[in-house]
Amino acid sequence: MRQAVLVGLAALMLMIVAACGEPEPEGPPVYDAYPEMEIDPLRPYSVTFTTSVGRISFVLNPEEAPLAVNSFIFLANSGYYDGVAFHRVVPGVLAETGDATGTGTGNPGYTFEVEPPQRPYVRGGIALANDGTPNSNGSRFFFILGDLAGSAEAPHEYTVFGHYKEDHAPSLATLDKIEAAQEEVTILSLKATEGCLPSWGGYGPC
């Protein structure tokens, strides 16, 4: 009996030691400040999302929204968006993601100026989400799933910083799948590229 108790205590001690040696789960990365400006506003940029329902590619608009594009590319290249889910999908309106905390209110540790949209909110656009106050842009963004002009879903200005490649059939198919998904859709990876994607014909206007 005593031997069994001793064996049990030894096993318990091993479990405690093992647990103490395990690193605590890491939360989403947090940055101290807005990143250094590294993009060239006169160059085109493109991004490709690999999601749990397919791939979708966007052309970014640094001339119209340099702060948004610079931050987005910084976060994309740091892996911030990898594994992040779409936490809100409203068919015909928007599909929102970009919050690594999964709460729908998180940011990367910094916020920045809301750049007024230079184009209408139409299907296939990509825009940063904000809370309606100055300097509230962060990591959250959404794909526009319909014409939001005059919609109650767009009561204030959102920075539109890109649009999907309109004649790219796989992108259109993935946008449709995200909109119609009955289960949670996740960003598996996100790749940012200076210039157009090679399949789009090189470095001219995308």
Side-chain angles (χ1 to χ4, degrees):
M1 179 67 177
R2 181 181 178 186
Q3 184 177 4
V5 171
L6 291 174
V7 171
L9 287 173
L12 180 60
M13 289 299 295
L14 287 174
M15 292 174 62
I16 293 174
V17 170
C20 291
E22 293 179 357
E24 293 186 6
E26 294 184 5
V30 176
Y31 303 95
D32 294 333
Y34 180 89
E36 293 290 332
M37 182 64 70
E38 295 188 352
I39 65 164
D40 181 350
L42 300 180
R43 295 283 288 171
Y45 290 82
S46 56
V47 292
T48 297
F49 293 82
T50 300
T51 78
S52 54
V53 295
R55 288 187 173 187
I56 182 168
S57 298
F58 287 83
V59 180
L60 304 186
N61 305 320
E63 285 188 90
E64 300 175 12
L67 294 177
V69 172
N70 186 69
S71 174
F72 189 77
I73 289 178
F74 166 76
L75 293 173
N77 287 340
S78 70
Y80 184 85
Y81 293 119
D82 296 355
V84 176
F86 284 81
H87 58 266
R88 183 163 73 117
V89 178
V90 182
V93 180
L94 58 83
E96 185 174 341
T97 182
D99 176 11
T101 70
T103 64
T105 60
N107 62 54
Y110 64 83
T111 57
F112 58 97
E113 178 185 346
V114 176
E115 297 163 294
Q118 303 298 308
R119 58 183 65 207
Y121 306 124
V122 295
R123 183 176 177 81
I126 182 172
L128 289 180
N130 63 64
D131 62 11
T133 62
N135 303 313
S136 59
N137 273 350
S139 59
R140 290 182 292 119
F141 63 92
F142 57 91
F143 299 163
I144 303 172
L145 301 179
D147 184 356
L148 302 188
S151 167
E153 294 290 339
H156 52 267
E157 293 186 335
Y158 297 102
T159 301
V160 179
F161 65 99
H163 56 90
Y164 83 104
K165 185 64 175 173
E166 295 181 6
D167 58 352
H168 193 236
S171 291
L172 179 59
T174 298
L175 192 67
D176 292 340
K177 289 178 181 177
I178 292 172
E179 183 174 19
Q182 299 299 308
E183 298 180 354
E184 184 176 79
V185 177
T186 301
I187 300 170
L188 303 180
S189 64
L190 175 54
K191 181 181 180 181
T193 304
E194 183 177 357
C196 307
L197 293 176
S199 60
W200 297 351
Y203 278 77
C206 297

